Amino acid sequence: MSTATITPKGPSTLRGARLPKWSPYAIAAGSIAVAIGIGVVGGLHSRVQWGLIAAILYVVASYAIATMVEGKRQAKDRMVTSLVWVAFLLAVIPLASLVWSTVARGVKVLDLYFLTHSMGVVADTEPGGGIYHAILGTLEQVGLATLIAAPIGVLTAIYLVEYGRGNLSKAITFFVDVMTGIPSIVAGLFILSLMLIFEMQPFGFAGSLALAILMMPVVVRSTEEMLKLVPNELREASLALGVPKWRTILKVVLPTSLGGITTGIMLSIARITGETAPVLLLVWGNPLINANPFEGAQASLPLYIYQQYANSAGSGAAYDRAWAASLTLIAFVMLLNLVARGIARWKAPSTGR
């Protein structure tokens, strides 16, 4: 007995009509064109206003066209997708604009001479000078702050995750949450009060102490979350083999979460690198090179940028130096993130068998 095969004569009716893949691009182009027309007719000279009008038109047009062709259910999906893309662009465009402005203005005086010389006896309104003294101060202050905050933060997170129980753990967690939100000026005032008590003059290490206070809660929080992501099965397997708990933490837990811990530390370094208020209070700034962070005033990149802008008196040379120092600071933070990714990938546990 043979079975007959029924071949459908027309297209399947189970799949509804769909917009072509190029439709979002066409809708976006049309929204931009209409927004420009509205801006020109309405006398709107700001491109930001044009962009917001185009974003609104894109979301509305995507929903309306999808409703007519695909139905309300698929139209809702396309509307949410459109909102996600609009939110992404709203976040990326200001960042790209900031980077572009910094690069365009910073490259005017950014050269080897600018990176290897200090301000010396050059006045803020005069051309010349460089940021070598500020780079040196930033590296020393941030480096000392990291040496203080990173070990304390990591060990505190290990205690909270692996050992912390009872009121002490709750108290530490509460104060870490409080410290996460304190303004940077508060940390600077705390160290300044100690300096006044002991009659100390401004010096670089004082700024490092304030930066370490700002850095520690970030390290604790990020490390704590990374340690919580380590499966308990790994701990239990190590303990079942008779390995002590401290060795389990050292050989199993920390290597597993090393990538996330390193990333968290680098993010905290990036946060404190741009702080100006504590450095202004405690370090004061110095146009000359001071390689000793434990004696005498020092410079730093954020403080240098602030001083060049504040004391420029309309000087184009000072503005150019401020932008060039800003570009250097951005490049420094980007380099830190690249190094962190490299270390995380190098130290990450192997996933092969």
Side-chain angles (χ1 to χ4, degrees):
M1 183 176 180
S2 60
T3 57
T5 303
I6 300 175
T7 304
K9 296 181 179 180
S12 174
T13 58
L14 296 178
R15 177 180 294 181
R18 298 295 301 271
L19 289 172
K21 294 183 179 180
W22 48 264
S23 60
Y25 305 102
I27 296 173
S31 300
I32 294 173
V34 174
I36 294 175
I38 294 175
V40 173
V41 174
L44 302 177
H45 303 289
S46 175
R47 294 182 180 179
V48 176
Q49 294 175 328
W50 294 8
L52 292 176
I53 295 174
I56 296 173
L57 290 175
Y58 175 71
V59 174
V60 174
S62 298
Y63 179 76
I65 296 174
T67 301
M68 292 185 295
V69 177
E70 300 176 332
K72 288 187 177 181
R73 184 174 182 179
Q74 188 65 25
K76 292 179 180 178
D77 179 75
R78 287 191 177 273
M79 183 183 68
V80 174
T81 304
S82 303
L83 289 173
V84 171
W85 276 105
V86 168
F88 169 74
L89 291 176
L90 290 177
V92 169
I93 290 176
L95 178 61
S97 176
L98 173 62
V99 173
W100 173 257
S101 299
T102 306
V103 172
R105 300 187 183 188
V107 295
K108 293 181 180 180
V109 296
L110 184 60
D111 52 19
L112 185 61
Y113 178 88
F114 183 73
L115 296 174
T116 56
H117 287 74
S118 67
M119 289 300 294
V121 295
V122 178
D124 291 335
T125 56
E126 297 177 354
I131 58 172
Y132 175 76
H133 61 302
I135 294 176
L136 182 63
T138 296
L139 292 176
E140 291 181 348
Q141 294 160 27
V142 173
L144 290 172
T146 304
L147 290 177
I148 296 171
I152 296 176
V154 172
L155 292 175
T156 302
I158 291 174
Y159 169 78
L160 292 175
V161 175
E162 304 293 339
Y163 298 97
R165 300 292 186 274
N167 295 329
L168 179 59
S169 176
K170 294 179 181 178
I172 294 175
T173 303
F174 172 76
F175 283 110
V176 168
D177 291 338
V178 172
M179 290 177 63
T180 304
I182 63 172
S184 59
I185 191 67
V186 175
L189 289 174
F190 173 71
I191 301 299
L192 180 61
S193 63
L194 297 179
M195 292 175 59
L196 294 176
I197 292 175
F198 294 101
E199 299 180 354
M200 303 173 67
Q201 296 297 320
F203 61 109
F205 185 65
S208 299
L209 293 176
L211 296 178
I213 294 175
L214 299 173
M215 183 177 177
M216 273 189 283
V218 181
V219 176
V220 172
R221 270 285 164 238
S222 60
T223 304
E224 186 179 2
E225 294 302 322
M226 291 301 104
L227 294 177
K228 288 179 179 179
L229 293 177
V230 178
N232 285 328
E233 289 78 5
L234 295 178
R235 298 181 176 90
E236 294 170 355
S238 178
L239 295 174
L241 295 175
V243 180
K245 189 170 185 177
W246 68 269
R247 195 170 182 84
T248 299
I249 297 172
L250 187 63
K251 295 294 185 179
V252 177
V253 177
L254 288 180
T256 305
S257 57
L258 183 61
I261 294 174
T262 305
T263 303
I265 292 175
M266 290 301 168
L267 288 176
S268 62
I269 293 175
R271 188 224 166 174
I272 66 172
T273 301
E275 292 291 346
T276 307
V279 180
L280 180 62
L281 285 175
L282 307 172
V283 181
W284 277 26
N286 189 348
L288 302 175
I289 299 173
N290 179 15
N292 185 4
F294 299 99
E295 182 179 359
Q298 268 193 322
S300 72
L301 282 174
L303 183 58
Y304 177 88
I305 296 169
Y306 168 75
Q307 290 176 336
Q308 289 297 306
Y309 180 80
N311 302 329
S312 62
S315 171
Y319 282 137
D320 292 340
R321 285 193 296 263
W323 281 107
S326 302
L327 180 58
T328 305
L329 186 61
I330 292 176
F332 176 70
V333 174
M334 291 179 63
L335 181 62
L336 284 177
N337 282 274
L338 292 176
V339 171
R341 290 181 179 273
I343 294 175
R345 181 171 296 183
W346 175 43
K347 290 295 185 179
S350 177
T351 57
R353 294 184 181 274

